[in-house]
């Protein structure tokens, strides 16, 4: 209840949550509310010269160069972005949480080895590494999700490692050890619950980064492949028609911007609420 009350006091966070809920509802209900099939090519969506139709009563956001309804493709593209965002970011948070917690708890040679590997992964530019990994495999929705997870877990691991190092020196952990508690009890009963607020915050903030990275990979042609709709590949397919049909780029760009911004607003609010050091500064 306290978290909900503090969250509702932040207008920007409420705005972000409303947008996120609208995107989620639109993605889940896409087959029910989309006026057409995502790959349906409509003769009414093209002019006699073969140019796409702009926004009108029949096509609220216009059509693309193949006569497909843009609103429909944006709704189904939201499903792609959210699936990749949740799966990729959830996997990244789980890997980062496990690696960081083990390294911080074990310390010594094992912990140092895990963190040196993390540092090695952080040395590679995330976008460049994602492009290389995506190019090595046949791009698909699930391959793209795993590629993004493989490049995004390192930040979580570094944060969790630092927090775990501080936790294992706390008096209640030392008391548990003196009472003979095993490693499993200490980790799962005491260390992990203290790390969950960090995991929740990074899980929310990371979705925004994941959506942007997926759109970037799809725009570069190594992400989700057509005809499966993705906000990134919608822009990629339409970039050369920006001057004659700007709605093909503007509307998916707005969708990416609002979704990423909204997840960031929600994540920032959760960080302020769940982090006791941030609460002291409010």
């Amino acid at each position: 209840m306290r978290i909900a009350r503090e969250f509702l006091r932040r207008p920007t966070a409420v705005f972000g949550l409303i947008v996120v809920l609208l995107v989620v509802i639109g993605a889940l209900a896409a087959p029910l509310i989309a006026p057409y099939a995502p790959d349906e090519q409509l003769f009414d969506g093209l002019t006699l010269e073969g140019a796409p139709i702009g926004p009108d009563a029949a096509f609220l956001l216009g059509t693309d160069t193949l006569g497909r309804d843009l609103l429909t493709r944006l709704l189904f593209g939201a499903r792609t972005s959210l699936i990749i965002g949740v799966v990729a970011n959830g996997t990244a948070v789980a890997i980062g949480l496990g690696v960081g917690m083990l390294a911080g708890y074990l310390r010594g040679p094992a912990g140092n080895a895990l963190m040196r590997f993390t540092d090695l992964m952080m040395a590679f530019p995330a976008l460049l590494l994602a492009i290389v990994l995506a190019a090595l495999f046949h791009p698909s929705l699930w391959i793209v999700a795993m590629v993004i997870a493989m490049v995004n877990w390192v930040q979580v691991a570094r944060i969790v490692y630092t927090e775990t190092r501080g936790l294992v020196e706390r008096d209640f952990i030392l008391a548990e050890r003196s009472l003979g508690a095993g490693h499993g009890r200490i980790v799962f009963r005491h260390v992990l619950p203290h790390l969950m607020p960090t995991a929740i915050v990074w899980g929310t903030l990371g979705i925004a980064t994941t959506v942007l990275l997926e759109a970037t990979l799809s725009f570069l042609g190594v992400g989700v492949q057509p005809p499966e709709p993705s906000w990134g590949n919608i822009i990629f397919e339409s970039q050369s028609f920006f001057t004659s049909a700007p709605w093909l780029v503007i509307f998916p760009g707005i969708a990416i911007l609002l979704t990423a911004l909204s997840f960031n607003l929600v994540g920032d609010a959760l960080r302020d609420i769940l982090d006791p050091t941030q609460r002291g500064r409010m």
Side-chain angles (χ1 to χ4, degrees):
M1 293 299 294
R2 179 190 65 82
I3 294 176
R5 286 196 302 270
E6 293 190 20
F7 189 92
L8 293 176
R9 290 173 187 164
R10 295 168 166 80
T12 55
V14 173
F15 168 78
L17 182 61
I18 291 173
V19 174
V20 167
L21 290 177
L22 289 175
V23 172
V24 171
I25 292 171
L28 294 177
L32 301 177
I33 63 178
Y36 307 98
D39 298 324
E40 184 178 359
Q41 295 178 256
L42 305 160
F43 291 108
D44 293 340
L46 295 172
T47 64
L48 293 177
E49 295 79 17
I53 297 293
D56 60 15
F59 307 102
L60 294 179
L61 299 184
T63 60
D64 65 8
T65 55
L66 296 178
R68 298 173 296 189
D69 180 61
L70 184 59
L71 175 60
T72 298
R73 291 184 63 76
L74 287 180
L75 289 172
F76 279 89
R79 305 183 87 186
T80 301
S81 295
L82 289 179
I83 289 173
I84 290 180
V86 172
V87 172
N89 198 56
T91 304
V93 170
I95 295 173
L97 185 64
V99 171
M101 185 171 60
L102 284 176
Y105 183 80
L106 296 175
R107 294 176 289 182
N112 287 334
L114 286 173
M115 292 317 297
R116 297 298 75 78
F117 175 70
T118 302
D119 293 339
L120 177 65
M121 293 295 294
M122 291 184 71
F124 293 96
L127 179 58
L128 181 59
L129 182 59
I131 291 173
V132 171
L133 291 175
L136 291 176
F137 303 98
H138 180 68
S140 67
L141 189 147
W142 302 110
I143 291 295
V144 171
M146 290 302 102
V147 165
I148 294 175
M150 290 301 102
V151 301
N152 276 354
W153 64 269
V154 290
Q155 293 85 358
V156 182
R158 175 56 68 179
I159 296 294
V160 169
Y161 170 75
T162 303
E163 291 195 12
T164 305
R165 285 291 300 268
L167 278 172
V168 296
E169 300 297 336
R170 299 277 294 275
D171 291 340
F172 68 93
I173 297 293
L174 297 177
E176 280 288 315
R177 284 177 173 167
S178 67
L179 293 174
H183 296 304
R185 177 182 173 84
I186 293 174
V187 169
F188 292 105
R189 291 289 300 274
H190 298 286
V191 176
L192 185 59
H194 282 80
L195 297 174
M196 289 311 297
T198 300
I200 292 172
V201 170
W202 275 92
T204 306
L205 288 172
I207 292 178
T209 304
T210 302
V211 168
L212 290 172
L213 186 54
E214 181 276 323
T216 302
L217 291 175
S218 295
F219 176 77
L220 294 175
V222 292
V224 177
Q225 298 297 297
E228 187 167 8
S230 160
W231 291 339
N233 66 30
I234 290 173
I235 296 177
F236 171 72
E237 293 174 344
S238 309
Q239 58 181 322
S240 58
F241 299 91
F242 177 70
T243 55
S244 59
W247 63 87
L248 297 178
V249 175
I250 291 175
F251 287 129
I254 291 174
I256 295 170
L257 174 63
L258 281 178
T259 302
L261 175 63
S262 300
F263 275 108
N264 274 326
L265 292 174
V266 172
D268 284 338
L270 289 177
R271 180 182 59 190
D272 293 341
I273 295 169
L274 297 175
D275 187 348
T277 61
Q278 295 290 335
R279 288 203 301 268
R281 300 172 186 172
M282 292 167 50

